[in-house]
Amino acid sequence: MATIQWFPGHMAKARREIQEQLKLVDLVIEITDARIPESSRNPMLNELVQQKAHLLVLNKIDLADDKMTRAWRQYYENEGLAVLTADSQHKQPLEPLLKVANELLKDKLERQHERGIKSSVIRAMCIGIPNSGKSTFLNRLVGRNVAVTGNRPGVTKNQNWLKTKQNLEILDTPGVLWPKFEDELIGQRLALTGAIKEGLYHVDDIALFALHFLKLSYPQVLPKVYGLTEAQLSLDDPDLLLAMTKKFGYRDDYEKMSTKLILDYRKGHLGRLTLEQPPVDAEVTK
Ligand SMILES: Nc1nc2c(ncn2[C@@H]2O[C@H](COP(=O)(O)OP(=O)(O)OP(=O)(O)O)[C@@H](O)[C@H]2O)c(=O)[nH]1
């Protein structure tokens, strides 16, 4: 599904629709991208969710740095959130999700049990920014491909409950919320991972951001993947981008090189790389 450009009217509408949907569910499953856990969270979600049970899913862990994923998980758990990690491209997340969901809603389920309701159903909805993997996650959960339509501005919808093999039903319309815009660095991370519509950023800006980030945080990647020499790596970022453009035979088409670098990152060809660290030093003990 193409990413939309968010205007204030769109945001207000998405927010209103999600508030309506929230009345129908017990549990909110917030889907984020494990490569940018914080940048891929909607700034208003906590406030919207309020008293509902809230589960944070760090999705796309197959593309993220394991150590960083553990650190992020711990960080959010320290913040009091229930956290699940998922590679919903390849793996079925139903069992671990049910475990956490039943735990989060234990009191409610027990009360229903006392009132004689034997097979209580947990009703949930997925929410996240574009491209976080909501549809993929939902499809995996229900074990088939369902036509998932997010609550994008202007998209009419009929809401249905998708049944899983267990006592969990999920709204077939995931809530799509806007990403954070205010900070340039967050915007660059969102663009590199694919959460921002193409055409809303310059590929060379994002490639320069990627080069800078890689040199600082994962210095082994550029020499290993692209065979860059020490001398090339000591160039400033724009000159390095030009050197790479030439090396790959793209003459002076640095936009082509930029696109290649961005796609290589998105496909995991550069390795499993997380673009941001938890705000405080979350100790990794697991
Ligand atoms: N490697 C990997 N890719 C994933 C995973 N989950 C989703 N994707 C990919 O990420 C892209 C976006 O996934 P979607 O499920 O369409 O995301 P969405 O949140 O529904 O996106 P919108 O419809 O834009 O709101 C697709 O190319 C998916 O194949 C994952 O766990 N690992």
Side-chain angles (χ1 to χ4, degrees), residues 1 59-60 62 87-89 131-136 152:
M1 206 184 288
N59 190 38
K60 308 196 185 185
D62 55 311
D87 163 8
S88 46
Q89 182 89 319
N131 199 54
S132 54
K134 299 174 293 299
S135 315
T136 311
R152 280 153 205 290

Side-chain angles (χ1 to χ4, degrees), residues 35-36 43 45 62 98 109-110 120 134 137-138 140 145 149 154 165 169 205 213 243 246-248 254 274 280 283 285:
R35 295 168 299 172
I36 47 167
L45 190 78
D62 55 311
L98 280 166
L109 294 172
E110 270 173 12
S120 312
K134 299 174 293 299
F137 185 81
L138 263 177
R140 268 284 151 195
N145 277 343
T149 314
K165 290 186 188 120
E169 291 185 5
D205 284 344
F213 168 78
K246 291 209 167 39
K247 183 177 165 65
F248 279 88
Y254 59 88
T274 299
V280 288
E283 262 180 57
T285 54

Side-chain angles (χ1 to χ4, degrees), residues 18 21-22 25 27-29 123-127 170-171 173-175:
I18 287 176
Q21 290 170 314
L22 280 171
V25 303
L27 172 68
V28 173
I29 304 170
R123 292 196 144 175
M125 73 175 292
C126 291
I127 302 187
I170 309 192
L171 213 54
T173 313

Side-chain angles (χ1 to χ4, degrees), residues 199-223:
L200 294 181
Y201 55 87
H202 294 292
V203 285
D204 47 329
D205 284 344
I206 301 310
L208 290 174
F209 159 72
L211 287 179
H212 188 75
F213 168 78
L214 289 168
K215 284 204 281 190
L216 270 179
S217 302
Y218 294 97
Q220 75 284 9
V221 169
L222 289 171

